[in-house]
């Protein structure tokens, strides 16, 4: 009897509690609304976070398509023809209604604008967007729409489009767009804020020089090149780097002494593997060959970001990587494991991913060594290598990664000291108008910054007077000269350049075109003379460890 009574009491208590908990909801319908709204907000917040994360990879959803990587031909092969296509000033747009996806592509069929009109997006408001993603980098207006623009990195831009609200409430999202900037026809190049018109001849010539130093701290000669010659940048080699704090102090001193309005390019060769210049206390990253063997473009991208984080922490803004050479000659004395592999497509995929990783961290990548150092038997540091292949063979092997990198927006390319008789029987690539203007610019379509390999390498010094070589390189189409060793060699280049400009061997138009390319990239990458603080080596190494543990 007592047991039955206890059960009845428990049931009665549960009924009372249930009634009490339901009473406010029944009496106040707004409470139900608030609970639903909270659920929607949480869902929208998660969705906004996901949108931003996938946009970093060039996507708008979990579908495989990537802006800046895929073509409309690949989409049509997989999804069939679009429901409709429309022309706009910026290109052609293909709409797939059932997929709620639109592809914007250029005349080559390359997708640069990827849009999603998913129903899930259309409950997100402007206010929620700002709460989760912060204020947009820019708000644009088109046909009464508000377009929130988030600059994801140097490669991708995320746009969220909000049409006007009919009832004057918070606007709700219509669709999103991920734009691959290097291919976007609507992105107009702006003139750099540094005015070429007000620059002296000395300042212009200086901007075309990136030089090495013989010391581990700023010396009188470095100060002279900065203040008197207005040099455009420095490259630091292993001999200049002793430890972390010394390197940070060295770079800060170079910046501090730059009284020019134009900041310095500060470059380094940090490829990973055996080609590293950074202090030993910074953890190593894998060689290109190791990355190629894994054949995972996402991982190559992450390693590219690591390389950028490492060099950026010291104050460098240029990394002379990735290597685009196809390692087709196993006896090659200089490339070897610096290459991603012996297949052009593998090299292309891994190098482009690494290039994007570097750029995502706002470090300027430089593809090298055009037209391809992989099938040579001589080290260009010692003498002049011969690449004795027909143009047809070059187009099938050596040039493939360079063409792919150009198609994916590479902005700077290093020219190797290579004799290619099928293109120019008289001059190495660095000094060849046929190679630079003919092949690289006209045939491959590269309009970015052309950088010479080091002019103090044996390939040049054993065969040319360095001043003459520097002038010929600029005449051939090189924009930025790399002179890594010897103050006497640097002086000789400055003297020869000044004389060539004075006597008209280098035209003012030629000079200004190269300076313009330099300044635009300094502006684009936000390069400044801002001082770097000391490096948290432990934190940096932990980041490296976390990525490499996914190996």
């Amino acid at each position: 009897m007592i047991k039955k009574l206890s059960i009845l009491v428990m049931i009665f208590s549960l009924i009372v509690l249930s009634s009490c908990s339901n009473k406010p909801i029944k009496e106040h319908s707004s409470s139900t609304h608030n609970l639903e709204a909270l659920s929607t907000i949480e869902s929208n917040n998660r969705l906004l976070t996901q949108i931003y994360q996938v946009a970093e990879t060039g996507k708008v959803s979990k579908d495989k398509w990537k802006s800046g990587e895929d073509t409309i031909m690949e989409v049509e092969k997989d999804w069939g023809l679009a429901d409709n296509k429309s022309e706009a000033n910026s290109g052609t747009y293909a709409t797939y209604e059932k997929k709620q996806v639109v592809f914007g592509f250029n005349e080559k069929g390359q997708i640069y604008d990827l849009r999603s009109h998913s129903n899930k997006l259309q409950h997100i408001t402007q206010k929620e967007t700002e709460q989760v993603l912060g204020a947009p980098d820019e708000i644009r207006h088109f046909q009464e729409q508000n377009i929130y623009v988030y600059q994801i990195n140097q490669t991708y831009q995320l746009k969220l489009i909000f049409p006007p609200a009919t009832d004057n409430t918070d606007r709700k999202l219509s669709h999103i767009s991920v734009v691959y900037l290097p291919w976007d026809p609507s992105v107009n190049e702006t003139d750099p804020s540094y005015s070429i018109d007000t620059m002296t001849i000395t300042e212009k010539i200086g901007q075309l020089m990136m030089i090495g130093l013989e010391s581990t701290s700023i010396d009188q000669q470095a100060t002279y090149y900065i203040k008197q010659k207005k040099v455009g940048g420095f490259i630091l080699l292993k001999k200049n780097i002793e430890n972390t704090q010394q390197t940070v102090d060295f770079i800060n001193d170079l910046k501090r002494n730059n009284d020019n309005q134009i900041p310095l390019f500060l470059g380094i060769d940090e490829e990973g593997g055996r080609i590293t210049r950074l202090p030993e206390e910074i953890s190593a990253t894998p060689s290109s060959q190791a990355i190629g063997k894994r054949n995972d473009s996402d991982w190559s991208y992450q390693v590219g970001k690591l390389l950028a984080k490492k060099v950026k922490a010291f104050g460098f803004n240029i990394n002379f990587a990735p290597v685009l050479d196809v390692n087709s000659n196993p006896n090659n004395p200089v490339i070897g494991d610096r290459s991603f592999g012996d297949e052009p497509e593998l090299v292309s995929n891994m190098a482009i991913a690494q290039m994007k990783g570097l750029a995502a961290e706002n470090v300027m990548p430089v593809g090298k060594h055009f037209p391809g150092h992989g099938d040579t038997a001589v080290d260009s540091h010692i003498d002049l290598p011969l690449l004795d292949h027909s143009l047809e063979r070059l187009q099938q092997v050596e040039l493939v990664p360079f063409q792919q990198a150009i198609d994916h927006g590479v902005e700077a390319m290093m020219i190797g000291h290579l004799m290619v008789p099928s293109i120019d029987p008289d001059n190495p690539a660095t000094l060849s108008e046929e190679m630079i203007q003919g092949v690289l610019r006209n045939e491959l379509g590269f309009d970015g910054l052309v950088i010479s390999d080091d002019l103090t390498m044996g390939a040049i010094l054993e065969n040319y007077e360095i001043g003459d070589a520097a002038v010929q390189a600029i005449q051939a189409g090189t924009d930025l000269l790399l002179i890594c060793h010897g103050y006497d060699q640097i002086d000789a280049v400055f003297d020869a350049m000044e004389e060539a400009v004075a006597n008209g061997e280098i035209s003012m138009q030629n000079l200004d075109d190269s300076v313009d390319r330099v300044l635009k990239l300094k502006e684009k990458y936000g390069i400044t003379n801002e001082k770097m603080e000391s490096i948290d080596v432990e934190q940096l190494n932990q980041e490296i460890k976390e990525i490499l543990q996914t190996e």
Side-chain angles (χ1 to χ4, degrees):
M1 180 69 183
I2 293 173
K3 186 174 181 181
K4 288 182 178 179
L5 184 61
S6 299
I7 292 171
L8 287 170
V9 169
M10 288 176 63
I11 292 170
F12 178 76
S13 299
L14 287 169
I15 292 170
V16 170
L17 286 171
S18 176
S19 300
C20 290
S21 65
N22 285 332
K23 188 175 181 181
I25 296 175
K26 289 179 181 178
E27 289 183 357
H28 303 287
S29 60
S30 61
S31 297
T32 304
H33 175 75
N34 287 339
L35 286 172
E36 289 175 353
L38 180 61
S39 174
T40 302
I41 289 170
E42 289 174 342
S43 176
N44 288 348
N45 288 355
R46 285 195 297 271
L47 185 54
L48 280 164
T49 302
Q50 291 168 2
I51 287 169
Y52 195 91
Q53 288 172 341
V54 297
E56 290 181 309
T57 67
K59 296 183 175 185
V60 291
S61 68
K62 292 182 180 178
D63 286 330
K64 66 180 182 179
W65 308 117
K66 285 187 178 182
S67 180
E69 190 163 306
D70 296 310
T71 67
I72 193 63
M73 290 76 81
E74 291 169 321
V75 176
E76 290 175 347
K77 184 177 179 181
D78 200 4
W79 284 3
L81 295 177
D83 295 300
N84 62 71
K85 288 185 180 180
S86 59
E87 298 293 332
N89 290 335
S90 57
T92 306
Y93 287 83
T95 302
Y96 288 80
E97 299 285 1
K98 290 183 179 179
K99 302 285 188 179
Q100 297 178 312
V101 173
V102 178
F103 299 93
F105 57 95
N106 60 22
E107 68 281 356
K108 294 182 179 180
Q110 300 161 327
I111 296 167
Y112 63 85
D113 187 354
L114 185 50
R115 302 178 180 183
S116 173
H117 294 260
S118 171
N119 294 333
K120 289 192 237 177
L121 303 171
Q122 295 168 9
H123 301 288
I124 296 172
T125 67
Q126 283 187 170
K127 186 176 180 182
E128 289 168 340
T129 300
E130 293 193 33
Q131 287 172 342
V132 177
L133 302 183
D137 296 298
E138 183 184 356
I139 299 178
R140 299 176 189 167
H141 304 281
F142 177 71
Q143 295 181 349
E144 299 185 2
Q145 298 176 116
N146 286 347
I147 303 173
Y148 278 22
V149 180
Y150 290 89
Q151 193 70 40
I152 302 289
N153 48 47
Q154 291 293 323
T155 304
Y156 293 115
Q157 206 174 66
L158 170 64
K159 298 178 184 177
L160 298 94
I161 293 82
F162 298 92
T166 54
D167 55 359
N168 244 1
T169 58
D170 195 8
R171 296 185 181 210
K172 290 187 177 180
L173 186 61
S174 163
H175 63 279
I176 62 173
S177 168
V178 174
V179 176
Y180 182 70
L181 296 174
W183 288 350
D184 182 9
S186 68
V187 177
N188 295 316
E189 287 188 338
T190 57
D191 292 330
S193 58
Y194 326 112
S195 174
I196 292 179
D197 295 337
T198 61
M199 292 173 67
T200 65
I201 298 296
T202 298
E203 287 172 331
K204 290 180 180 181
I205 292 172
Q207 285 304 306
L208 307 191
M209 305 288 181
M210 197 165 176
I211 64 174
L213 297 169
E214 301 300 319
S215 57
T216 55
S217 61
I218 192 165
D219 57 13
Q220 184 176 356
Q221 199 72 25
T223 305
Y224 165 75
Y225 290 130
I226 293 172
K227 294 185 178 296
Q228 300 301 317
K229 293 298 186 181
K230 306 299 183 182
V231 70
F234 294 91
I235 179 171
L236 266 59
L237 306 173
K238 198 69 175 176
K239 66 181 179 181
N240 306 119
I241 294 174
E242 294 178 334
N243 58 60
T244 297
Q245 195 56 52
Q246 167 265 333
T247 308
V248 172
D249 291 342
F250 193 0
I251 291 176
N252 282 339
D253 285 342
L254 292 173
K255 291 178 178 180
R256 188 180 299 112
N257 277 271
N258 183 30
D259 53 5
N260 194 346
Q261 63 160 334
I262 303 169
L264 297 167
F265 270 151
L266 293 162
I268 189 169
D269 289 297
E270 191 65 23
E271 299 172 11
R274 63 188 167 96
I275 306 300
T276 178
R277 309 290 189 235
L278 295 178
E280 292 182 0
E281 54 258 45
I282 305 298
S283 295
T285 40
S287 68
S288 297
Q289 184 182 69
I291 296 170
K293 284 182 178 178
R294 179 161 172 174
N295 194 12
D296 181 342
S297 58
D298 289 336
W299 194 60
S300 186
Y301 173 83
Q302 293 300 327
V303 174
K305 292 187 72 170
L306 280 183
L307 290 171
K309 287 179 179 179
K310 287 168 68 172
V311 303
K312 187 168 66 172
F314 288 85
F316 294 104
N317 43 53
I318 292 181
N319 190 16
F320 292 104
V323 171
L324 293 165
D325 304 314
V326 179
N327 191 36
S328 55
N329 182 349
N331 298 317
N332 190 308
V334 65
I335 300 302
D337 63 357
R338 298 172 64 191
S339 168
F340 290 98
D342 57 8
E343 293 294 330
E345 286 304 320
L346 172 66
V347 172
S348 300
N349 293 338
M350 296 304 103
I352 289 165
Q354 188 178 97
M355 175 185 84
K356 290 180 178 179
L358 285 159
E361 292 294 326
N362 213 36
V363 170
M364 191 176 95
V366 179
K368 62 184 185 184
H369 308 79
F370 183 83
H373 210 320
D375 192 11
T376 56
V378 173
D379 183 347
S380 54
H381 293 86
I382 300 170
D383 210 334
L384 188 58
L386 176 68
L387 190 61
D388 197 11
H389 291 308
S390 67
L391 177 59
E392 183 180 9
R393 147 68 194 233
L394 293 172
Q395 290 170 335
Q396 292 172 349
V397 181
E398 280 79 10
L399 296 179
V400 171
F402 295 97
Q403 180 69 78
Q404 290 292 318
I406 291 166
D407 290 344
H408 284 81
V410 68
E411 295 164 313
M413 200 80 83
M414 178 181 284
I415 307 295
H417 304 312
L418 305 164
M419 282 297 296
V420 190
S422 62
I423 306 297
D424 186 339
D426 301 317
N427 302 292
T430 332
L431 315 183
S432 171
E433 184 175 357
E434 287 85 351
M435 183 63 75
I436 297 173
Q437 299 288 8
V439 178
L440 181 59
R441 293 213 185 277
N442 294 338
E443 291 189 24
L444 273 61
F446 181 65
D447 60 359
L449 188 72
V450 173
I451 305 174
S452 78
D453 207 343
D454 176 20
L455 292 179
T456 64
M457 290 164 64
I460 296 298
L461 293 186
E462 293 296 321
N463 299 283
Y464 299 89
E465 193 282 317
I466 193 170
D468 293 340
V471 170
Q472 188 175 340
I474 294 293
Q475 290 172 327
T478 300
D479 299 305
L480 184 61
L481 302 172
L482 205 57
I483 313 110
C484 296
H485 303 277
Y487 294 146
D488 56 337
Q489 306 286 9
I490 295 169
D491 291 339
V493 171
F494 269 110
D495 290 345
M497 286 289 292
E498 288 166 0
E499 183 178 349
V501 172
N503 64 27
E505 287 183 68
I506 296 175
S507 69
M508 288 305 301
Q509 186 63 55
N510 192 352
L511 186 65
D512 286 351
D513 287 346
S514 292
V515 172
D516 186 58
R517 290 190 184 98
V518 169
L519 298 187
K520 280 180 176 175
L521 284 176
K522 287 187 174 183
E523 179 108 338
K524 178 174 180 180
Y525 280 86
I527 292 172
T528 69
N529 288 322
E530 184 179 352
K531 178 183 175 183
M532 302 299 295
E533 300 300 328
S534 58
I535 298 173
D536 187 339
V537 174
E538 185 177 345
Q539 173 62 32
L540 183 58
N541 285 341
Q542 182 59 34
E543 287 189 56
I544 296 169
K545 181 180 178 182
E546 288 173 1
I547 294 297
L548 299 189
Q549 277 178 339
T550 63
E551 193 171 354

